[in-house]
Amino acid sequence: MVQQRSPVGADASESTLGRRLSRRKPVEKLVAETEGDHGLRRTMGFWQLSMIGIGATLGTGIFVVLGEAVPIAGPAVILAFVLAGVTALFSALAYAEMAGMIPASGSAYSYSYATMGEFTAWVCGWCLMLTYGVSVAAVGVGWGQYINELLHLTTGLSLPGALLAGPLEGGLVNVPAAVVVLLSMFALLVGVRESTRVNAVMVTVKVAVLVMFVAIAVTAVQRGNFAPFMPMGMAGVSAAGATLFFSYIGFDSASTASEEARDPQRDLPRAIMFSMIVVTALYCLVAFSAVGALNWTEFAEGRTSLAGILTVVTGTPVWAVIFAAGAVLALASVVLVVLYSQTRILFAMSRDGLIPAAFSRVDAHGTPRANTVITSVFIAVLAAFIPLGPLADATAIGTLFAFALVNVAVLVLRRTRPDLRRAFRMPGAPITPVLGVLACAYLMASMPVSVWAAFGAWLAVGLAIYFGYGMRRSALEAETVPEVRA
């Protein structure tokens, strides 16, 4: 008997490829993997999750990047913070809904896997690697600047320039930036519970020093420093907003801790929204006080640090020393938490087979040791040799892309799985998720061509890895309907 032949050739190949690229990981399967003995231990409550969100967000954006944004927008940098904050708020609402439904370590990567398929999930995960990995390196660079400032304020000495910058900035290697990453690595290797306690202390200190800055700087606010309010026009506000979006990267870190949360459906949405409220309020207060106390043109002349503003306002370096010491702890907490988040994204991708299994192996204490070491060493090298500016811009565009996908994921699951229990519902949907996507797209469009070129190159490398490794080794590969043979 002659066996009927099924379609072969290009059509069949394209059909099979399409199935492989669009295969989804069911929500139920994602949730099941977080239950039982999955390796990671559930030790965190609402407060610890909130401290992770605040710890990862409140850092370089206000301590360092503010000085780079003021010359772009002038006093309207306050509006730039609002623009970036509103964009982040849409995504925070989307994250809160998704985190309540899918409490998986992969964050936006896992949400994309459940709604848009493996290929989109890979692209999202690859962007998150850029977001978290490069963010850690960028914060490490900022940490080195405050270490040097603290040393100068207390002893009059400064670290050699060759040890404060990589070769692209005329130095040799940024030693402090690499050191803070490696110190965070050792803290994470000790254990998550101990790391969250350390982070909580550092978050408390950073909030205290920022409140101190506002209380002192606001006494020197002069109305004349706000005129002209928008010297570069709306284009300057948009460009500064795109840069300052880096300041809001991190609120989603709480969602990466979902598999280590005791009650993720209840606590994750609350922690995400609470951290956004605290961070946005502090950012706006600090920006208002800074540009009100020091004319924006002086930022362009290099007097950009908040510690320096305190010296100008008070006429004594005492408060600047206290602030610089607090900034050192503040930025160290960002490095610690964001590095933690990076390892959990890699953990989820490894468990799905898209990257090597070493990244999802845990020791007896529930710590992904190899993952932590490999990731930390790589980022330490990156921090040691790459300057802050390009790192911040590259991080922002990757984050905006991932955040846009989370908003899309909300829309998809509202339509395809309205039956799923939602501990938190994004208000105003479907309008608010659409606005979230548009806001992310607007800020991405404000990025310079050079940043888009770097982002495109990053995606090209990611696609090569996916098609050469991830797609074939995916845990869902065996479930894909094979190409029909003659």
Side-chain angles (χ1 to χ4, degrees), residues 102-156:
I102 308 176
S105 285
S107 183
Y109 157 78
S110 294
Y111 310 153
S112 299
Y113 215 156
T115 56
M116 290 167 276
E118 183 175 285
F119 177 74
T120 304
W122 169 266
V123 173
C124 183
W126 189 248
C127 287
L128 289 174
M129 287 190 205
L130 177 68
T131 294
Y132 288 117
V134 175
S135 178
V136 171
V139 176
V141 173
W143 187 81
Q145 294 174 6
Y146 270 99
I147 279 287
N148 190 50
E149 183 164 9
L150 180 61
L151 179 65
H152 180 73
L153 287 170
T154 53
T155 67

Side-chain angles (χ1 to χ4, degrees), residues 341-367:
S341 301
Q342 170 74 93
T343 61
R344 269 45 183 184
I345 294 291
L346 294 172
F347 175 88
M349 296 179 73
S350 174
R351 183 169 58 191
D352 291 333
L354 300 183
I355 61 176
F359 288 93
S360 56
R361 295 195 187 105
V362 297
D363 62 16
H365 302 287
T367 301

Side-chain angles (χ1 to χ4, degrees), residues 21-392:
L21 295 179
S22 62
R23 53 195 174 197
R24 300 177 185 179
K25 193 171 184 180
V27 172
E28 290 78 7
K29 185 172 183 178
L30 281 164
V31 174
E33 288 179 343
T34 70
E35 299 172 347
D37 185 17
H38 56 82
L40 303 178
R41 297 184 177 180
R42 296 192 179 277
T43 59
M44 300 187 200
F46 165 75
W47 185 247
Q48 289 87 353
L49 293 170
S50 297
M51 290 300 99
I52 285 177
I54 297 173
T57 310
L58 196 61
T60 304
I62 197 66
F63 285 99
V64 180
V65 179
L66 173 65
E68 298 181 1
V70 172
I72 300 174
V77 70
I78 302 168
L79 293 182
F81 266 117
V82 173
L83 175 62
V86 169
T87 303
L89 177 61
F90 284 126
S91 297
L93 292 169
Y95 263 96
E97 176 166 329
M98 296 301 297
M101 285 190 296
I102 308 176
S105 285
S107 183
Y109 157 78
S110 294
Y111 310 153
S112 299
Y113 215 156
T115 56
M116 290 167 276
E118 183 175 285
F119 177 74
T120 304
W122 169 266
V123 173
C124 183
W126 189 248
C127 287
L128 289 174
M129 287 190 205
L130 177 68
T131 294
Y132 288 117
V134 175
S135 178
V136 171
V139 176
V141 173
W143 187 81
Q145 294 174 6
Y146 270 99
I147 279 287
N148 190 50
E149 183 164 9
L150 180 61
L151 179 65
H152 180 73
L153 287 170
T154 53
T155 67
L157 303 175
S158 299
L159 293 173
L163 301 182
L164 280 173
L168 295 179
E169 290 186 313
L172 182 62
V173 57
N174 194 323
V175 174
V179 167
V180 71
V181 175
L182 296 178
L183 288 175
S184 298
M185 177 190 74
F186 288 118
L188 290 176
L189 290 175
V190 170
V192 171
R193 179 179 297 181
E194 292 76 10
S195 299
T196 55
R197 290 172 180 169
V198 172
N199 175 64
V201 172
M202 292 193 288
V203 168
T204 302
V205 170
K206 83 165 85 175
V207 171
V209 297
L210 286 175
V211 171
M212 179 195 76
F213 173 86
V214 172
I216 295 174
V218 76
T219 63
V221 169
Q222 300 178 32
R223 183 178 300 177
N225 286 338
F226 294 100
F229 183 69
M230 200 181 295
M232 310 300 178
M234 193 60 200
V237 174
S238 299
T243 296
L244 288 173
F245 191 79
F246 177 78
S247 308
Y248 289 92
I249 294 171
F251 72 81
D252 58 316
S253 291
S255 66
T256 67
S258 58
E259 291 189 39
E260 291 156 284
R262 290 192 293 268
D263 190 350
Q265 282 86 358
R266 184 194 68 181
D267 292 337
L268 277 173
R270 296 166 57 204
I272 289 172
M273 297 311 302
F274 177 73
S275 62
M276 270 296 297
I277 292 170
V278 171
V279 167
T280 302
L282 281 173
Y283 280 169
C284 291
L285 287 172
V286 171
F288 171 82
S289 303
V291 297
L294 187 68
N295 190 278
W296 73 275
T297 57
E298 297 189 54
F299 282 82
E301 295 171 2
R303 297 168 67 180
T304 60
S305 86
L306 297 184
I309 293 175
L310 288 179
T311 300
V312 172
V313 169
T314 63
T316 174
V318 174
W319 295 107
V321 170
I322 295 173
F323 185 88
V328 168
L329 286 177
L331 297 180
S333 75
V334 179
V335 173
L336 175 66
V337 176
V338 178
L339 182 60
Y340 162 84
S341 301
Q342 170 74 93
T343 61
R344 269 45 183 184
I345 294 291
L346 294 172
F347 175 88
M349 296 179 73
S350 174
R351 183 169 58 191
D352 291 333
L354 300 183
I355 61 176
F359 288 93
S360 56
R361 295 195 187 105
V362 297
D363 62 16
H365 302 287
T367 301
R369 187 168 295 273
N371 180 343
T372 302
V373 172
I374 295 170
T375 304
S376 301
V377 171
F378 176 81
I379 294 175
V381 172
L382 187 67
F385 294 102
I386 305 297
L388 174 63
L391 289 177

